Amino acid sequence: FNIMYFTKRGKNDVSEKIYQANYYSTGKNSGTWKEAPGPLNFCRGNSTFTHPTVSPDGNIMVFASDMTGSRGGTDLFITRKSGDRWSEPENLGNLINTSSNELYPSLDSANNLYFSSDGHPGFGGYDVYVCRFTGKGWEEPVNLTDLVNSPEDEVAFNLNRKNGRFGFFTSTGKNKKSVPQLHKVDYNLNLAPDSLASLSAALINMAYSDMTFPHKKLVAEVVIPEIKKEDVKPPVVTKEDIKPPEVTKEEV
């Protein structure tokens, strides 16, 4: 079966917890999701456990929480799977977490870590940052540049793991009346240098090359072909598009 991890507030929960659901493709439960009766084993007490992201092999989970050991409002934590249980969460440390909030972690196909924070230097309230995976841990976060970030709040950045060509994130204005906007980041791999085989590789190269923030490490400059951001607009539906089905006597 396939496994999905999600956040919800259970009947007896005072805050959000992380739950697991299994999808069964065969057997008596074929074609259905079955939710576990309770949250994951490390989700205890009144703390919030939210925004889980899992490595491609399913053995590492990074999530946001205000549990004991957090520096600020919410920090990013890591837990590792052993059998059917998860290890005690470990704080990802002061290199990544700040005295403010770190939220919406997301791991790409190479375990590079993307997340939103309002504590690191940025363009607005919440910006999206990336940390390169070293094989054992993650490097210092770098801002994902103004291709993604703006004076607004950018959150929930997520990359397509299957083909590496596109990703999505949400931008929210600070005005309470503003409506969150979904954005798509697209990448033309056909025009990319061989060294940049995915959107993630191109974004990381661009982020580490950008000198907007002086503390960033400078890497070899590479031209990034056709990375663009666009709004995802819902289709326009008119009355003419909504037609009742034609029913004949034979079909009744």
Side-chain angles (χ1 to χ4, degrees), residues 11-50:
K11 185 177 181 181
N12 299 318
D13 294 332
V14 297
S15 57
E16 294 178 349
K17 299 290 188 293
I18 301 172
Y19 286 75
Q20 175 179 328
N22 300 331
Y23 181 80
Y24 294 86
S25 57
T26 60
K28 64 178 182 179
N29 295 317
S30 177
T32 62
W33 286 97
K34 187 175 181 181
E35 180 185 329
L40 299 186
N41 58 277
F42 60 82
C43 297
R44 298 185 294 268
N46 296 331
S47 299
T48 294
F49 298 82
T50 189

Side-chain angles (χ1 to χ4, degrees), residues 44-191:
R44 298 185 294 268
N46 296 331
S47 299
T48 294
F49 298 82
T50 189
H51 306 157
T53 180
V54 181
S55 59
D57 64 8
N59 292 326
I60 294 175
M61 178 185 291
V62 178
F63 63 93
S65 179
D66 60 358
M67 65 183 290
T68 302
S70 300
R71 289 191 64 203
T74 52
D75 279 8
L76 300 187
F77 289 80
I78 184 173
T79 177
R80 297 170 177 82
K81 194 171 186 180
S82 178
D84 294 330
R85 296 180 64 81
W86 292 88
S87 66
E88 282 300 304
E90 301 172 38
N91 191 293
L92 285 187
N94 297 345
L95 197 64
I96 292 176
N97 292 314
T98 69
S99 57
S100 295
N101 298 290
E102 281 67 50
L103 297 164
Y104 299 102
S106 177
L107 295 171
D108 68 11
S109 59
N111 283 333
N112 298 304
L113 174 64
Y114 294 82
F115 66 95
S116 292
S117 172
D118 62 350
H120 291 282
F123 295 94
Y126 283 94
D127 275 13
V128 180
Y129 299 82
V130 61
C131 306
R132 287 189 294 201
F133 185 61
T134 65
K136 296 182 179 180
W138 289 275
E139 295 182 357
E140 181 180 2
V142 292
N143 190 286
L144 215 52
T145 80
D146 57 1
L147 172 72
V148 170
N149 295 313
S150 74
E152 312 295 332
D153 290 331
E154 279 71 44
V155 297
F157 187 89
N158 208 305
L159 288 169
N160 177 280
R161 288 182 179 177
K162 189 173 182 179
N163 60 25
R165 289 177 180 268
F166 60 88
F168 294 94
F169 67 95
T170 298
S171 184
T172 305
K174 295 177 175 57
N175 188 323
K176 293 183 179 179
K177 294 183 179 180
S178 61
V179 179
Q181 298 290 320
L182 180 65
H183 296 273
K184 180 181 180 182
V185 182
D186 209 358
Y187 183 53
N188 191 336
L189 286 180
N190 295 325
L191 301 178

Side-chain angles (χ1 to χ4, degrees), residues 199-213:
L199 173 60
S200 183
L203 287 171
I204 289 172
N205 179 82
M206 181 176 61
Y208 277 82
S209 299
D210 182 59
M211 294 305 293
T212 302
F213 301 105

